[in-house]
């Protein structure tokens, strides 16, 4: 191995990668700004595509699951079901406590949020949102969301005021992850990723042929290729320079698969660009001295204290933002109408929205998310202690 390759591979020894906090925080902020642009009638290139921010979240999720798998592989072998249980406990209590709280808040506020959205849609001349997205308080809808099964059903995948279609998608990925990793280990990383992507594409093709349509890509096969992008980037951590580049190319190829969501040529190229930026930040040592130094500096900035907290609050900000955004936008439209141009309306909404969202996200991070994570660690530790004493 060359010196260049040794320096590239040394990232595998770390337990923290600086830029991940910043990328998580920016992905959440991107979704918030994108929705604010859409609901104020202004459009900016790239920023007006909040689905790309969600894709960045998905890539990060795939990366982090494999990254943590590699860190724990020695003490938590994935061939043992007990490892799967620990993994599922961690992930459930990372997502569920805050989600359940905000699901209740969103359903209670549903009629108000629906009225706000009707004001926005009428003002912007758009097709009104379906009432059931805001007003379905049925037991079936509640149980589908509490159980996280809603992403498996086209009828329930997009049926609350929250942007939670991606939460159901994420939980499906967590459920499948141990089995995907076992397949990748058995067949080889690249071959296993190809088989997984082909299997997901086959399911998508069957759904398309049978006329099944999801209102959002909430079903795992529709976004499996984007999770695999992140997984490939993480699996490259233990590869030398040439293999790391090969994994990066595989990730870019996966991003080009025309599956799920808006898959225009422009969108697919932007997804490839996301993968390329992610790869460059991770493997800056593979680039020339001048560019590598700049990328390393950018990676360090994305890991500073500010971006660390932006990343910590990203999940809360993602769940909270529509609860604040729609009433604020509706109020400004009702109060000022056409007297505010779209850019001014967007800026006014953002000035009110962003502080409120991050204040709420900070409060629920400390009061709900952190205790949930501590409880997960307690359950895992208690179980391990009992097994050791048995």
């Amino acid at each position: 191995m060359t010196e260049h390759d040794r320096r590239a591979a040394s990232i595998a020894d770390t337990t923290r990668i600086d830029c991940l906090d910043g990328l998580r925080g920016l992905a959440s902020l991107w979704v918030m700004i994108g929705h604010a642009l859409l609901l104020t009638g202004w459009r900016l290139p790239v920023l007006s595509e909040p689905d790309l921010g969600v894709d960045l979240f998905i890539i990060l999720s795939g990366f982090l699951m494999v990254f943590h798998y590699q860190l724990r592989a020695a003490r938590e072998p994935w061939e043992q079901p007990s490892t799967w249980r620990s993994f599922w406990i961690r992930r459930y209590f990372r997502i569920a406590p805050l989600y359940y709280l905000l699901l209740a808040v969103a359903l209670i506020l549903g009629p108000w949020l629906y009225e706000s959205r009707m004001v926005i849609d009428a003002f912007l001349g758009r097709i009104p949102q379906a009432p059931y997205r805001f007003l379905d308080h049925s037991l079936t809808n509640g149980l589908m969301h509490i159980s996280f099964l809603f992403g498996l059903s086209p009828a329930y995948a997009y049926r609350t005021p929250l942007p939670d279609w991606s939460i159901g998608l994420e939980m499906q990925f967590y459920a499948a992850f141990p089995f995907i990793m076992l397949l990748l280990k058995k067949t080889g990383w690249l071959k296993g990723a190809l088989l997984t992507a082909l299997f997901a594409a086959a399911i998508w093709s069957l759904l398309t042929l049978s006329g099944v349509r999801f209102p959002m890509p909430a079903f795992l096969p529709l976004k499996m290729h984007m999770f695999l992008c992140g997984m490939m980037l993480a699996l490259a951590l233990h590869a030398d320079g040439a293999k790391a580049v090969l994994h990066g190319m595989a990730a870019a190829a996966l991003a080009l698969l025309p599956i799920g969501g808006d898959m225009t040529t422009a969108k697919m190229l932007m997804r490839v660009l996301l993968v390329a930026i992610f790869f460059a930040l991770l493997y800056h040592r593979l680039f020339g001295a001048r560019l590598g130094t700049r990328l390393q500096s950018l990676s360090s900035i994305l890991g500073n204290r500010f971006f660390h907290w932006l990343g910590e609050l990203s999940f809360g900000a993602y769940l909270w933002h529509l609860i604040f955004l729609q009433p604020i936008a509706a109020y400004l439209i009702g109060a000022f109408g056409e007297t505010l141009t779209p850019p001014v309306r967007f800026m006014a909404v953002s000035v009110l929205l962003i502080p409120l969202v991050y204040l709420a996200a900070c409060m629920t991070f400390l009061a709900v998310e952190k205790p949930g994570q501590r409880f997960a660690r307690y359950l895992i530790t208690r179980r391990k202690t009992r097994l050791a004493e048995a």
Side-chain angles (χ1 to χ4, degrees):
M1 185 187 298
T2 66
E3 177 63 23
H4 211 55
D5 289 343
R6 280 194 293 272
R7 286 185 297 160
S10 67
I11 194 172
D13 297 327
T14 189
T15 58
R16 183 176 182 274
I17 299 176
D18 291 338
C19 65
L20 298 186
D21 288 331
L23 289 176
R24 265 195 311 155
L26 290 175
S28 179
L29 187 58
W30 186 354
V31 174
M32 190 191 316
I33 289 174
H35 283 153
L37 286 164
L38 291 173
L39 297 186
T40 55
W42 195 32
R43 181 168 181 81
L44 290 173
V46 183
L47 288 177
S48 291
E49 311 294 346
D51 57 318
L52 293 175
V54 176
D55 281 334
L56 180 54
F57 262 129
I58 291 172
I59 294 170
L60 280 162
S61 181
F63 179 91
L64 285 167
M65 294 308 100
V66 173
F67 180 65
H68 292 145
Y69 155 84
Q70 291 171 321
L71 288 179
R72 297 189 177 105
R75 62 183 185 276
E76 294 184 357
W78 278 80
E79 292 77 12
Q80 297 179 7
S82 60
T83 298
W84 310 349
R85 286 192 291 270
S86 295
F87 170 77
W88 287 327
I89 288 171
R90 286 191 194 99
R91 302 322 302 167
Y92 178 81
F93 284 100
R94 177 67 183 89
I95 297 293
L98 182 60
Y99 175 67
Y100 289 157
L101 172 64
L102 292 192
L103 178 63
V105 170
L107 292 176
I108 291 169
L109 298 179
W112 181 43
L113 296 173
Y114 179 63
E115 289 177 9
S116 298
R117 189 57 183 262
M118 290 303 96
V119 170
I120 295 166
D121 289 343
F123 180 76
L124 297 177
R126 294 177 180 164
I127 297 173
Q129 292 288 302
Y132 59 74
R133 270 210 61 215
F134 297 81
L135 305 176
D136 186 352
H137 296 135
S138 68
L139 179 61
T140 302
N141 192 40
L143 291 176
M144 289 292 285
H145 283 80
I146 290 171
S147 65
F148 293 104
L149 296 176
F150 60 96
L152 304 177
S153 167
Y156 290 96
Y158 196 48
R159 211 174 179 96
T160 76
L162 296 175
D164 58 359
W165 64 268
S166 63
I167 306 302
L169 174 71
E170 191 82 9
M171 295 300 273
Q172 294 169 56
F173 176 61
Y174 296 155
F177 180 75
F179 309 106
I180 296 170
M181 288 306 298
L182 289 176
L183 172 65
L184 266 60
K185 285 187 69 175
K186 184 174 182 179
T187 61
W189 303 132
L190 291 175
K191 186 186 293 184
L194 176 61
L195 290 173
T196 304
L198 288 175
F199 182 64
I203 294 175
W204 170 76
S205 298
L206 289 173
L207 291 174
T208 302
L209 291 172
S210 61
V212 176
R213 296 287 187 274
F214 280 79
M216 299 295 281
F219 184 40
L220 182 58
L222 303 180
K223 284 293 184 180
M224 189 65 237
H225 60 299
M226 297 307 298
F227 284 110
L228 286 168
C229 287
M231 294 172 71
M232 286 294 97
L233 293 174
L235 289 167
L237 292 177
H238 292 283
D240 59 25
K243 287 186 178 179
V245 172
L246 182 61
H247 281 77
M249 292 173 64
L254 286 163
L256 285 171
L257 290 178
I259 301 173
D262 183 353
M263 298 307 294
T264 61
T265 301
K267 283 287 184 71
M268 289 191 289
L269 291 177
M270 282 191 277
R271 288 178 174 93
V272 172
L273 181 60
L274 286 179
V275 172
I277 292 170
F278 200 156
F279 181 85
L281 289 170
L282 289 172
Y283 303 103
H284 50 77
R285 296 173 181 85
L286 295 174
F287 294 83
R290 181 177 298 178
L291 181 58
T293 300
R294 290 178 179 175
L295 287 169
Q296 185 174 12
S297 298
L298 177 58
S299 180
S300 297
I301 291 170
L302 290 173
N304 67 22
R305 184 178 294 274
F306 171 78
F307 282 106
H308 170 73
W309 273 102
L310 198 68
E312 292 283 66
L313 302 181
S314 60
F315 180 52
Y318 178 76
L319 283 180
W320 271 112
H321 78 278
L322 286 180
I323 294 174
F324 287 101
L325 171 58
Q326 292 171 112
I328 291 172
Y331 169 76
L332 289 175
I333 286 170
F336 300 100
E338 295 285 0
T339 60
L340 295 181
T341 63
V344 173
R345 190 182 308 120
F346 164 74
M347 288 185 283
V349 166
S350 298
V351 166
L352 296 171
L353 174 69
I354 292 174
L356 287 173
V357 167
Y358 281 104
L359 176 61
C362 184
M363 292 171 63
T364 51
F365 175 75
L366 297 174
V368 181
E369 292 184 72
K370 291 295 285 184
Q373 294 172 41
R374 286 195 296 269
F375 187 63
R377 289 193 291 270
Y378 165 74
L379 290 177
I380 293 168
T381 302
R382 186 179 68 171
R383 180 176 180 81
K384 288 181 178 179
T385 301
R386 287 181 176 178
L387 290 174
E389 293 173 349

